[in-house]
Amino acid sequence: MRKRLLWVLAFAALTLLLGACSGDLPQNTFDPAGPTAQKQKDLLMPVLWVAAAVFVLVEGGIVLIALKYRHRKGGDDRLPPQVHGNTRLEIGWTIAPAVVLAFVMVPTVGMIWELAERPADAMHITVKGYQWWWGFEYTDPDMVVSYGQGGPIVVADTMVVPAGRTVDLSIESAGGLVGGDDPDFRVAHSFWAPRLFGKQDAMPGRTNHIVFAADEPGTYWGQCAEFCGLQHARMRFRIVALDEADWRAWVENEKQPAVEPTDPLAKQGMDLFLNGVSGGGQCTACHSVGGTNATSPAGPNLTHFAAPEHECFAGCNWDTTDVEALRAWLHDPPGVKYGSKMPNYNLTDDEIDALTAYLLSLT
Ligand code: CUA
Protein backbone atom coordinates (compact mmCIF):
# COMPACT_ATOMS: atom_id res chain seq x y z
CA MET A 1 0.00 0.00 0.00
CA ARG A 2 2.72 2.39 1.04
CA LYS A 3 4.76 1.39 -1.98
CA ARG A 4 1.85 2.13 -4.33
CA LEU A 5 1.38 5.56 -2.74
CA LEU A 6 5.04 6.29 -3.33
CA TRP A 7 4.69 5.36 -6.99
CA VAL A 8 1.65 7.61 -7.36
CA LEU A 9 3.52 10.51 -5.74
CA ALA A 10 6.57 9.89 -7.93
CA PHE A 11 4.44 9.93 -11.09
CA ALA A 12 2.64 13.10 -9.98
CA ALA A 13 5.99 14.81 -9.39
CA LEU A 14 7.28 13.60 -12.78
CA THR A 15 4.15 14.90 -14.51
CA LEU A 16 4.62 18.33 -12.93
CA LEU A 17 8.29 18.34 -13.88
CA LEU A 18 7.60 17.34 -17.51
CA GLY A 19 4.79 19.92 -17.65
CA ALA A 20 7.50 22.55 -17.37
CA CYS A 21 8.90 21.37 -20.72
CA SER A 22 5.77 22.33 -22.69
CA GLY A 23 6.70 24.50 -25.68
CA ASP A 24 3.50 26.55 -25.87
CA LEU A 25 3.80 29.10 -23.07
CA PRO A 26 1.76 32.23 -23.78
CA GLN A 27 2.07 33.36 -20.15
CA ASN A 28 5.77 32.83 -19.54
CA THR A 29 7.27 35.37 -17.12
CA PHE A 30 10.72 34.31 -18.29
CA ASP A 31 9.99 35.38 -21.86
CA PRO A 32 9.42 39.14 -21.50
CA ALA A 33 7.99 41.05 -24.47
CA GLY A 34 8.30 44.61 -23.18
CA PRO A 35 10.48 46.85 -20.99
CA THR A 36 8.40 46.45 -17.80
CA ALA A 37 8.48 42.65 -17.86
CA GLN A 38 12.16 42.77 -18.86
CA LYS A 39 13.08 44.94 -15.85
CA GLN A 40 11.07 42.70 -13.54
CA LYS A 41 12.85 39.65 -14.90
CA ASP A 42 16.24 41.36 -14.53
CA LEU A 43 15.40 41.83 -10.84
CA LEU A 44 13.85 38.39 -10.41
CA MET A 45 16.83 36.41 -11.71
CA PRO A 46 19.55 37.56 -9.24
CA VAL A 47 17.07 37.32 -6.34
CA LEU A 48 16.14 33.83 -7.51
CA TRP A 49 19.82 32.76 -7.51
CA VAL A 50 20.35 34.20 -4.05
CA ALA A 51 17.24 32.39 -2.82
CA ALA A 52 18.38 29.17 -4.49
CA ALA A 53 21.80 29.37 -2.78
CA VAL A 54 20.15 29.97 0.62
CA PHE A 55 17.75 27.09 -0.01
CA VAL A 56 20.50 24.63 -0.92
CA LEU A 57 22.67 25.65 2.06
CA VAL A 58 19.88 25.52 4.64
CA GLU A 59 18.07 22.42 3.37
CA GLY A 60 21.37 20.68 2.65
CA GLY A 61 22.52 21.42 6.22
CA ILE A 62 19.29 20.06 7.69
CA VAL A 63 19.48 16.83 5.67
CA LEU A 64 23.19 16.39 6.41
CA ILE A 65 22.78 16.85 10.17
CA ALA A 66 19.66 14.66 10.29
CA LEU A 67 21.56 11.84 8.56
CA LYS A 68 24.82 12.22 10.41
CA TYR A 69 23.33 12.35 13.90
CA ARG A 70 20.41 9.97 13.44
CA HIS A 71 19.72 7.32 16.05
CA ARG A 72 21.40 4.04 15.16
CA LYS A 73 20.58 0.57 16.38
CA GLY A 74 23.08 -0.42 19.01
CA GLY A 75 24.44 3.09 19.01
CA ASP A 76 25.34 5.34 21.86
CA ASP A 77 22.21 6.02 23.91
CA ARG A 78 23.77 8.59 26.21
CA LEU A 79 22.69 12.25 25.88
CA PRO A 80 25.27 14.32 23.97
CA PRO A 81 26.83 17.29 25.82
CA GLN A 82 24.10 19.93 26.39
CA VAL A 83 25.03 23.50 25.39
CA HIS A 84 23.25 26.79 25.84
CA GLY A 85 24.02 29.68 23.53
CA ASN A 86 27.00 30.43 21.31
CA THR A 87 27.64 34.13 20.93
CA ARG A 88 29.83 33.89 17.86
CA LEU A 89 27.39 31.65 15.99
CA GLU A 90 24.42 33.79 16.96
CA ILE A 91 26.05 37.01 15.79
CA GLY A 92 27.04 35.21 12.60
CA TRP A 93 23.58 33.97 11.72
CA THR A 94 22.11 37.39 12.43
CA ILE A 95 24.59 39.31 10.29
CA ALA A 96 24.73 36.87 7.35
CA PRO A 97 20.98 37.04 6.51
CA ALA A 98 21.04 40.83 7.02
CA VAL A 99 23.82 41.09 4.43
CA VAL A 100 21.92 38.83 2.01
CA LEU A 101 18.71 40.84 2.48
CA ALA A 102 20.57 44.12 1.95
CA PHE A 103 21.98 42.72 -1.29
CA VAL A 104 18.42 41.90 -2.40
CA MET A 105 16.90 45.14 -1.09
CA VAL A 106 19.04 47.69 -2.93
CA PRO A 107 18.00 46.75 -6.48
CA THR A 108 14.45 45.93 -5.35
CA VAL A 109 13.74 49.35 -3.83
CA GLY A 110 15.33 51.06 -6.82
CA MET A 111 13.11 49.05 -9.16
CA ILE A 112 9.97 49.84 -7.15
CA TRP A 113 10.61 53.58 -7.66
CA GLU A 114 11.51 53.10 -11.30
CA LEU A 115 8.37 51.09 -12.10
CA ALA A 116 6.18 53.61 -10.23
CA GLU A 117 7.18 56.41 -12.63
CA ARG A 118 4.33 57.54 -14.84
CA PRO A 119 5.66 59.24 -17.97
CA ALA A 120 3.69 62.34 -19.04
CA ASP A 121 3.51 61.26 -22.70
CA ALA A 122 1.98 57.82 -21.97
CA MET A 123 -1.34 56.70 -23.39
CA HIS A 124 -4.07 56.20 -20.75
CA ILE A 125 -6.39 53.24 -20.42
CA THR A 126 -8.62 52.53 -17.42
CA VAL A 127 -8.84 48.81 -16.61
CA LYS A 128 -11.94 47.68 -14.73
CA GLY A 129 -12.29 44.27 -13.11
CA TYR A 130 -15.82 42.84 -13.12
CA GLN A 131 -17.08 39.41 -12.07
CA TRP A 132 -15.63 37.78 -14.24
CA TRP A 133 -14.24 39.73 -17.12
CA TRP A 134 -12.11 42.81 -17.77
CA GLY A 135 -13.28 46.09 -19.34
CA PHE A 136 -11.01 48.72 -20.91
CA GLU A 137 -11.74 52.44 -21.34
CA TYR A 138 -9.55 54.67 -23.49
CA THR A 139 -9.63 57.95 -21.59
CA ASP A 140 -7.33 60.17 -23.69
CA PRO A 141 -9.02 63.15 -25.44
CA ASP A 142 -8.21 61.77 -28.92
CA MET A 143 -9.99 58.49 -28.14
CA VAL A 144 -13.56 59.83 -27.96
CA VAL A 145 -16.33 58.08 -29.90
CA SER A 146 -18.21 59.99 -32.62
CA TYR A 147 -21.75 59.09 -31.55
CA GLY A 148 -24.13 59.79 -28.64
CA GLN A 149 -22.64 61.95 -25.91
CA GLY A 150 -19.10 61.17 -26.99
CA GLY A 151 -17.13 59.49 -24.20
CA PRO A 152 -14.22 57.06 -24.28
CA ILE A 153 -13.84 54.05 -26.55
CA VAL A 154 -14.87 51.07 -24.38
CA VAL A 155 -14.02 47.43 -25.10
CA ALA A 156 -14.11 44.16 -23.16
CA ASP A 157 -11.83 41.12 -22.85
CA THR A 158 -9.24 42.23 -25.42
CA MET A 159 -7.20 45.40 -24.85
CA VAL A 160 -5.77 46.80 -28.06
CA VAL A 161 -2.62 48.93 -27.90
CA PRO A 162 -0.08 50.33 -30.37
CA ALA A 163 3.18 48.36 -30.27
CA GLY A 164 6.11 50.33 -28.85
CA ARG A 165 3.94 53.02 -27.21
CA THR A 166 4.09 53.45 -23.43
CA VAL A 167 0.70 52.83 -21.82
CA ASP A 168 -0.31 53.99 -18.33
CA LEU A 169 -3.04 51.72 -16.96
CA SER A 170 -5.37 52.89 -14.18
CA ILE A 171 -6.61 49.69 -12.55
CA GLU A 172 -9.92 49.57 -10.67
CA SER A 173 -12.52 47.11 -9.44
CA ALA A 174 -16.01 47.69 -10.83
CA GLY A 175 -19.40 46.83 -9.38
CA GLY A 176 -21.73 44.29 -10.98
CA LEU A 177 -25.20 45.19 -12.18
CA VAL A 178 -27.04 43.34 -9.43
CA GLY A 179 -25.12 45.06 -6.68
CA GLY A 180 -24.55 48.39 -8.40
CA ASP A 181 -22.16 50.08 -6.01
CA ASP A 182 -22.90 47.48 -3.37
CA PRO A 183 -19.48 46.57 -1.93
CA ASP A 184 -20.39 42.87 -2.14
CA PHE A 185 -19.91 43.06 -5.87
CA ARG A 186 -16.74 45.11 -5.78
CA VAL A 187 -14.15 42.49 -5.01
CA ALA A 188 -10.38 42.50 -5.32
CA HIS A 189 -8.93 41.25 -8.62
CA SER A 190 -5.37 41.32 -9.92
CA PHE A 191 -4.34 42.28 -13.44
CA TRP A 192 -1.51 40.21 -14.86
CA ALA A 193 -0.06 39.69 -18.34
CA PRO A 194 3.17 37.82 -17.54
CA ARG A 195 5.02 38.60 -20.79
CA LEU A 196 4.30 42.34 -20.43
CA PHE A 197 4.09 43.15 -16.71
CA GLY A 198 3.79 41.64 -13.23
CA LYS A 199 0.62 41.55 -11.15
CA GLN A 200 -1.14 44.65 -9.87
CA ASP A 201 -4.22 44.48 -7.64
CA ALA A 202 -7.57 45.90 -8.73
CA MET A 203 -8.99 47.10 -5.41
CA PRO A 204 -12.47 48.47 -4.69
CA GLY A 205 -12.25 52.19 -3.96
CA ARG A 206 -8.72 52.83 -5.16
CA THR A 207 -6.75 53.13 -8.38
CA ASN A 208 -3.45 51.34 -9.00
CA HIS A 209 -1.16 51.78 -11.97
CA ILE A 210 0.89 49.71 -14.37
CA VAL A 211 3.08 51.40 -16.97
CA PHE A 212 4.06 49.10 -19.82
CA ALA A 213 4.73 48.77 -23.53
CA ALA A 214 4.69 45.83 -25.93
CA ASP A 215 7.85 45.83 -28.06
CA GLU A 216 6.37 43.96 -31.03
CA PRO A 217 2.91 43.53 -32.56
CA GLY A 218 1.28 40.34 -31.30
CA THR A 219 -1.18 38.84 -28.86
CA TYR A 220 -0.26 38.64 -25.18
CA TRP A 221 -2.31 36.57 -22.75
CA GLY A 222 -3.25 37.54 -19.24
CA GLN A 223 -5.52 36.58 -16.40
CA CYS A 224 -6.87 37.60 -13.04
CA ALA A 225 -4.40 36.66 -10.32
CA GLU A 226 -6.43 37.30 -7.17
CA PHE A 227 -9.24 35.01 -6.05
CA CYS A 228 -12.42 36.98 -6.81
CA GLY A 229 -15.26 34.46 -6.70
CA LEU A 230 -16.57 31.40 -8.51
CA GLN A 231 -15.04 32.06 -11.93
CA HIS A 232 -11.75 33.62 -10.88
CA ALA A 233 -9.90 30.92 -12.82
CA ARG A 234 -11.74 31.88 -16.00
CA MET A 235 -11.27 35.63 -15.79
CA ARG A 236 -8.82 35.99 -18.61
CA PHE A 237 -7.94 38.70 -21.11
CA ARG A 238 -5.65 39.37 -24.03
CA ILE A 239 -3.60 42.38 -25.03
CA VAL A 240 -3.35 42.79 -28.79
CA ALA A 241 -0.48 45.06 -29.90
CA LEU A 242 -0.79 46.48 -33.42
CA ASP A 243 1.65 48.28 -35.70
CA GLU A 244 0.99 51.98 -36.30
CA ALA A 245 -1.19 51.60 -39.43
CA ASP A 246 -3.36 48.81 -37.96
CA TRP A 247 -3.65 50.75 -34.73
CA ARG A 248 -4.95 53.86 -36.51
CA ALA A 249 -7.46 51.78 -38.46
CA TRP A 250 -8.63 50.11 -35.24
CA VAL A 251 -9.12 53.46 -33.48
CA GLU A 252 -11.07 54.90 -36.45
CA ASN A 253 -13.35 51.85 -36.49
CA GLU A 254 -13.89 51.93 -32.72
CA LYS A 255 -14.94 55.58 -32.90
CA GLN A 256 -17.77 54.69 -35.26
CA PRO A 257 -21.16 53.51 -34.05
CA ALA A 258 -22.09 49.87 -34.64
CA VAL A 259 -22.83 48.97 -38.25
CA GLU A 260 -26.52 48.51 -39.07
CA PRO A 261 -26.98 44.96 -40.29
CA THR A 262 -28.36 44.43 -43.79
CA ASP A 263 -28.80 40.66 -43.54
CA PRO A 264 -32.43 39.90 -42.56
CA LEU A 265 -31.47 37.38 -39.86
CA ALA A 266 -29.01 39.81 -38.28
CA LYS A 267 -31.68 42.53 -38.48
CA GLN A 268 -34.05 40.25 -36.62
CA GLY A 269 -31.30 39.70 -34.04
CA MET A 270 -30.87 43.45 -33.61
CA ASP A 271 -34.59 43.78 -33.00
CA LEU A 272 -34.45 41.09 -30.29
CA PHE A 273 -31.35 42.66 -28.79
CA LEU A 274 -32.82 46.16 -28.59
CA ASN A 275 -36.46 45.33 -27.77
CA GLY A 276 -36.31 42.18 -25.68
CA VAL A 277 -36.55 38.44 -26.26
CA SER A 278 -39.59 36.15 -26.01
CA GLY A 279 -39.04 35.24 -22.36
CA GLY A 280 -39.03 38.94 -21.43
CA GLY A 281 -35.24 39.27 -21.08
CA GLN A 282 -33.55 42.54 -22.05
CA CYS A 283 -30.01 42.44 -23.47
CA THR A 284 -29.98 46.25 -23.10
CA ALA A 285 -30.24 45.92 -19.32
CA CYS A 286 -26.49 45.27 -19.23
CA HIS A 287 -24.93 45.74 -22.66
CA SER A 288 -24.30 48.77 -24.80
CA VAL A 289 -24.02 48.92 -28.58
CA GLY A 290 -22.77 52.29 -29.84
CA GLY A 291 -25.33 54.35 -31.78
CA THR A 292 -28.36 52.42 -30.48
CA ASN A 293 -30.52 52.81 -27.37
CA ALA A 294 -28.42 50.11 -25.65
CA THR A 295 -26.19 52.16 -23.34
CA SER A 296 -25.80 50.22 -20.09
CA PRO A 297 -22.19 49.97 -18.87
CA ALA A 298 -22.90 46.96 -16.61
CA GLY A 299 -21.82 44.21 -19.02
CA PRO A 300 -19.29 44.03 -21.86
CA ASN A 301 -19.65 46.72 -24.54
CA LEU A 302 -20.61 44.92 -27.78
CA THR A 303 -20.30 47.78 -30.31
CA HIS A 304 -17.53 46.06 -32.29
CA PHE A 305 -17.97 42.54 -30.94
CA ALA A 306 -16.90 40.87 -34.19
CA ALA A 307 -13.93 43.12 -34.99
CA PRO A 308 -10.96 40.79 -35.67
CA GLU A 309 -8.95 42.33 -32.81
CA HIS A 310 -11.71 41.37 -30.34
CA GLU A 311 -10.32 37.85 -30.19
CA CYS A 312 -12.36 36.41 -27.33
CA PHE A 313 -15.46 36.92 -25.19
CA ALA A 314 -16.98 36.18 -21.76
CA GLY A 315 -13.73 36.48 -19.83
CA CYS A 316 -11.72 35.34 -22.87
CA ASN A 317 -12.79 31.75 -22.38
CA TRP A 318 -13.87 31.33 -25.99
CA ASP A 319 -12.65 32.78 -29.26
CA THR A 320 -15.12 35.18 -30.84
CA THR A 321 -14.87 33.18 -34.07
CA ASP A 322 -16.07 30.03 -32.25
CA VAL A 323 -19.74 30.18 -33.30
CA GLU A 324 -20.69 27.00 -31.43
CA ALA A 325 -19.26 28.42 -28.21
CA LEU A 326 -21.16 31.66 -28.75
CA ARG A 327 -24.39 29.73 -29.29
CA ALA A 328 -23.80 27.64 -26.15
CA TRP A 329 -23.12 30.84 -24.21
CA LEU A 330 -26.36 32.49 -25.38
CA HIS A 331 -28.27 29.27 -24.69
CA ASP A 332 -27.30 29.13 -21.01
CA PRO A 333 -24.52 31.43 -19.75
CA PRO A 334 -24.42 30.15 -16.14
CA GLY A 335 -24.56 26.61 -17.60
CA VAL A 336 -21.22 27.00 -19.38
CA LYS A 337 -19.71 29.42 -16.85
CA TYR A 338 -21.20 28.64 -13.46
CA GLY A 339 -22.12 31.75 -11.48
CA SER A 340 -22.06 34.03 -14.53
CA LYS A 341 -23.93 37.28 -13.98
CA MET A 342 -25.47 36.96 -17.46
CA PRO A 343 -28.81 35.25 -16.86
CA ASN A 344 -30.30 32.38 -18.83
CA TYR A 345 -33.10 34.03 -20.82
CA ASN A 346 -34.37 30.67 -22.15
CA LEU A 347 -33.80 31.78 -25.73
CA THR A 348 -35.29 29.68 -28.49
CA ASP A 349 -33.01 28.24 -31.18
CA ASP A 350 -34.43 30.77 -33.66
CA GLU A 351 -33.61 33.60 -31.29
CA ILE A 352 -30.08 32.26 -30.83
CA ASP A 353 -29.67 32.08 -34.64
CA ALA A 354 -30.75 35.70 -35.00
CA LEU A 355 -28.72 37.05 -32.06
CA THR A 356 -25.60 35.18 -33.21
CA ALA A 357 -25.98 36.64 -36.71
CA TYR A 358 -26.39 40.13 -35.21
CA LEU A 359 -23.37 39.84 -32.88
CA LEU A 360 -21.17 38.51 -35.68
CA SER A 361 -22.25 41.44 -37.92
CA LEU A 362 -20.84 43.95 -35.40
CA THR A 363 -17.39 44.37 -36.94
CU1 CUA B 1 -10.95 38.48 -10.87
CU2 CUA B 1 -9.83 36.63 -9.87
Side-chain angles (χ1 to χ4, degrees), residues 277-279 283 330-331 342 344-352 355:
V277 294
S278 60
C283 307
L330 291 173
H331 175 66
M342 175 151 149
N344 180 355
Y345 279 155
N346 297 306
L347 302 173
T348 65
D349 282 348
D350 289 344
E351 285 175 325
I352 291 175
L355 283 167

Side-chain angles (χ1 to χ4, degrees), residues 27-44 111 115 127 134 159 167 169 171 189-202 208-213 220-226 237 239:
Q27 300 193 155
N28 186 359
T29 300
F30 298 102
D31 183 20
T36 301
Q38 184 64 54
K39 284 177 194 168
Q40 288 166 339
K41 186 191 168 193
D42 291 346
L43 178 63
L44 172 66
M111 188 61 74
L115 291 175
V127 174
W134 294 96
M159 182 203 291
V167 184
L169 301 177
I171 298 164
H189 306 273
S190 180
F191 196 62
W192 185 32
R195 294 194 62 207
L196 295 176
F197 47 78
K199 298 162 190 172
Q200 184 62 270
D201 283 351
N208 287 332
H209 291 275
I210 291 173
V211 174
F212 83 101
Y220 304 94
W221 291 34
Q223 67 181 66
C224 182
E226 174 83 37
F237 62 93
I239 295 177

Side-chain angles (χ1 to χ4, degrees), residues 130 132 134 187-190 224-229 231-233 235:
Y130 297 81
W132 291 275
W134 294 96
V187 299
H189 306 273
S190 180
C224 182
E226 174 83 37
F227 182 71
C228 55
Q231 291 293 344
H232 155 68
M235 183 171 170

Side-chain angles (χ1 to χ4, degrees), residues 118-335:
R118 299 175 56 202
D121 59 347
M123 204 180 104
H124 296 92
I125 301 175
T126 296
V127 174
K128 289 184 175 177
Y130 297 81
Q131 278 177 320
W132 291 275
W133 55 281
W134 294 96
F136 309 110
E137 298 181 16
Y138 294 73
T139 52
D140 283 334
D142 58 341
M143 298 293 278
V144 172
V145 298
S146 66
Y147 50 85
Q149 309 282 316
I153 290 171
V154 178
V155 295
D157 296 307
T158 310
M159 182 203 291
V160 181
V161 297
R165 183 100 59 93
T166 303
V167 184
D168 179 354
L169 301 177
S170 297
I171 298 164
E172 301 171 359
S173 170
L177 173 75
V178 193
D181 272 340
D182 183 336
D184 284 354
F185 288 85
R186 288 161 65 97
V187 299
H189 306 273
S190 180
F191 196 62
W192 185 32
R195 294 194 62 207
L196 295 176
F197 47 78
K199 298 162 190 172
Q200 184 62 270
D201 283 351
M203 303 297 290
R206 66 164 294 159
T207 303
N208 287 332
H209 291 275
I210 291 173
V211 174
F212 83 101
D215 288 338
E216 299 292 334
T219 296
Y220 304 94
W221 291 34
Q223 67 181 66
C224 182
E226 174 83 37
F227 182 71
C228 55
L230 283 173
Q231 291 293 344
H232 155 68
R234 296 209 289 174
M235 183 171 170
R236 301 177 195 154
F237 62 93
R238 291 182 202 170
I239 295 177
V240 172
L242 301 176
D243 66 27
E244 196 55 39
D246 288 347
W247 163 252
R248 258 183 263 140
W250 181 82
V251 172
E252 275 323 300
N253 188 47
E254 288 292 322
K255 285 181 177 176
Q256 302 306 314
V259 283
E260 283 253 358
T262 47
D263 169 60
L265 189 62
K267 268 188 163 164
Q268 200 189 322
M270 182 172 84
D271 186 51
L272 289 167
F273 189 94
L274 296 177
N275 300 314
V277 294
S278 60
Q282 294 284 348
C283 307
T284 55
C286 295
H287 295 286
S288 75
V289 173
T292 72
N293 63 14
T295 55
S296 171
N301 184 310
L302 303 174
T303 307
H304 298 282
F305 179 83
E309 297 82 3
H310 182 242
E311 293 189 352
C312 45
F313 70 96
C316 260
N317 288 292
W318 299 282
D319 285 357
T320 307
T321 49
D322 185 346
V323 181
E324 280 318 303
L326 183 58
R327 293 181 63 91
W329 173 253
L330 291 173
H331 175 66
D332 183 6

